[in-house]
Amino acid sequence: MSDSFDLGEPPQPPKPEAYRVLARKYRPQTFSELIGQDAMVQTLGNAIKRDRLAHAFLLTGVRGVGKTSTARLIAKALNCIGPDGQGGPTIDPCGVCEPCRAIAEGRHIDVIEMDAASHTGIGDIREIIDAVRYAAVSARYKMYIIDEVHMLSKPAFNGLLKTLEEPPEHVKFLFATTEVDKIPVTVLSRCQRFDLRRIPSDKLTDHFAHVAAAEGAEAEPEALALIARAAEGSARDGLSILDQAIAHAGLEGGAVRADAVRAMLGLSDRGAIRALFGMLLEGDAPGALAALRAQYDLGVDPQGVLRSLLETVHAVTLAKVGTPFDPAQPAEEREALTRWSSRLGYPLLHRLWQLLLRGHGEVAAAALPIEAAEMALLRVIHASTLPDPGELAKLVANGAPIAATTAAPAADPADAPAASLPTTVEQLAALLEAAKRPGLADQVRNHVRPIRFEAPELVISAAKPLPADFTRELGLALKAITGQNWRIGTADGPAQPSLRETEQAEADAERAQVLASPVVAAALHAFPDAELVGWTKTRSTS
């Protein structure tokens, strides 16, 4: 009798675990891991402690802020029994008991998730209505999580109203939606509503840094900041971008770099945008067109360039009104915004916004986007040489001819011979007088209190109110006269008096000296009602 051996199938190597994308792998499992929603967590924690739990919760917010994750966390919090099986509802579910693990793995029989986008009809809701009458099998509460609830039909919403009004004590409803305005008011009034906010960029940056470290990937802080800005407050969107960036860095054999992320997303370089914005302010048309073409050659969408310029104008305006800077902004961007906010007036900023906004719309609808973007930038540069409508009305009221106030320079200022630069405010006023700009010369005499004058740079005191767009108009006039770009700004600090204040002080001192002379003093003593009249101080023009 021969022995036989049943060898069976050869041992198989263990199957590698399927890769999970970062957005799923790092989905929050506790409320402490839910970033940017502290107010909601505190409110829910207080409700659990005081046993004031609503029977229906509505979670609303933009994509990727954690609505479905929060719904699952609430299901875990209300059904957790603790490691010893004796616990009750808690804002800190243990994560180790059977209900917590089953809910986290999506296999709990009493936690039913439904996608309203694919179950929109009254028939689907009727199944829920029939099932709520039966008690939970093993959990404390039977939970119904309905995602994108706004997709339900009107009959479905109507069929749900009565159950929402008086649900059984063992049932809780958790609704999630991105479009809360599409939900009937009758449903809203029966739910406890939580508005999940967009996650701030700085918190997203910190979160992405933690995820990158956990994945063993190096990432530049600027790269993470770019990803956070592109995510627009959505953790899921940001993690998807980070996933792609890590894969790209792996192919390149290096860290997640800012330039690679910028190229991957088609984003404009912030430094290039700041340089382009400066060219627009200086009226440098060839430089602006070349900078735009350089961005276009790198694959940046022309509409994206216009959008970045709009963001820059908005940021300058916020800096001008004193809004705190975004912590994610680099130091050089803050310095540029501070400098521009001190130089540019509100009328010019509003005009830039309107011109760029119009250009953005034209580029979006244009058959030739890059050409439309170039024309939009040229329109901005041309409009920057025109006076403000209020100033134009003032000039016309003062008798200035319209042609003289709106015409562009006859020749390119760059082609004009460079004049000797003034070194004092008095010389500056005289230069403007000689260039047939008497109105601007008078404004210089009346308002310019210099803090630093090192031509072609002039910093004047901001303590005394200045006319709207004064620094811009003065800079454009001096560029046309001298052929050089002038940097004119305002600042706080000790400053010299203006020419008008100096002349007035000299006149007052000379008048006081005349009044103190023996002859005049004796005459005033003999005639107490007498006055010194007709006294003027001749302005020096040297």
Side-chain angles (χ1 to χ4, degrees), residues 55-364:
H55 58 271
F57 299 88
L58 175 66
L59 306 170
T60 179
V62 298
R63 68 195 185 281
V65 294
K67 298 183 296 298
T68 306
S69 296
T70 301
R72 293 176 181 173
L73 289 177
I74 294 176
K76 289 169 64 174
L78 299 187
N79 285 316
C80 178
I81 59 175
D84 59 357
Q86 303 299 318
T90 174
I91 194 63
D92 296 312
C94 66
V96 298
C97 66
E98 177 57 25
C100 284
R101 288 188 290 109
I103 293 172
E105 296 170 6
R107 57 179 175 81
H108 201 294
I109 192 172
D110 291 319
V111 179
I112 301 97
E113 294 193 30
M114 187 183 87
D115 178 21
S118 55
H119 299 81
T120 62
I122 182 62
D124 302 298
I125 296 301
R126 188 174 291 115
E127 292 180 8
I128 295 178
I129 296 173
D130 294 338
V132 296
R133 296 177 295 175
Y134 303 103
V137 176
S138 61
R140 185 178 294 112
Y141 294 103
K142 180 179 286 188
M143 316 287 292
Y144 287 93
I145 300 175
I146 303 180
D147 200 10
E148 300 300 337
V149 69
H150 65 273
M151 300 291 288
L152 290 179
S153 63
K154 185 176 180 180
F157 273 124
N158 291 335
L160 195 58
L161 288 180
K162 186 59 178 178
T163 304
L164 281 180
E165 183 72 35
E166 299 176 355
E169 293 183 359
H170 60 272
V171 173
K172 301 291 182 185
F173 288 96
L174 298 168
F175 301 141
T177 180
T178 55
E179 301 183 46
V180 69
D181 55 311
K182 294 185 178 180
I183 299 178
V185 178
T186 51
V187 174
L188 292 176
S189 63
R190 290 166 167 82
C191 300
Q192 187 173 92
R193 174 173 168 176
F194 290 107
D195 290 83
L196 277 66
R197 301 181 178 182
R198 291 181 185 269
I199 305 173
S201 295
D202 56 335
K203 291 190 176 182
L204 281 178
T205 303
D206 294 339
H207 180 57
F208 297 156
H210 168 73
V211 171
E215 291 292 306
E218 296 182 9
E220 295 178 354
E222 184 182 355
L224 297 177
L226 286 172
I227 294 174
R229 189 180 297 117
E232 297 181 342
S234 169
R236 184 176 63 229
D237 287 7
L239 287 174
S240 298
I241 298 172
L242 179 61
D243 217 341
Q244 182 180 356
I246 292 175
H248 179 76
L251 293 175
E252 296 293 329
V256 177
R257 300 192 314 274
D259 56 347
V261 171
R262 194 176 290 113
M264 184 181 73
L265 297 177
L267 296 175
S268 303
D269 181 85
R270 303 299 294 181
I273 289 297
R274 290 195 297 272
L276 175 57
F277 187 70
M279 295 173 190
L280 294 180
L281 296 179
E282 294 174 2
D284 184 1
L289 295 182
L292 175 63
R293 280 286 177 175
Q295 290 291 294
Y296 182 71
D297 292 340
L298 290 174
V300 180
D301 182 15
Q303 191 177 1
V305 175
L306 270 295
R307 182 168 57 250
S308 297
L309 289 172
L310 281 167
E311 293 174 351
T312 302
V313 174
H314 180 253
V316 173
T317 308
L318 292 184
K320 192 170 184 64
V321 301
T323 303
F325 287 110
D326 185 347
Q329 285 179 325
E332 58 270 16
E333 186 169 352
R334 299 186 189 187
E335 294 173 2
L337 295 178
T338 302
R339 182 174 68 253
W340 287 326
S341 65
S342 65
R343 287 179 49 194
L344 306 178
Y346 289 112
L348 176 60
L349 289 172
H350 295 321
R351 195 188 320 167
L352 284 171
W353 175 266
Q354 293 297 330
L355 290 170
L356 290 171
L357 188 63
R358 178 183 173 186
H360 183 273
E362 291 176 351
V363 172

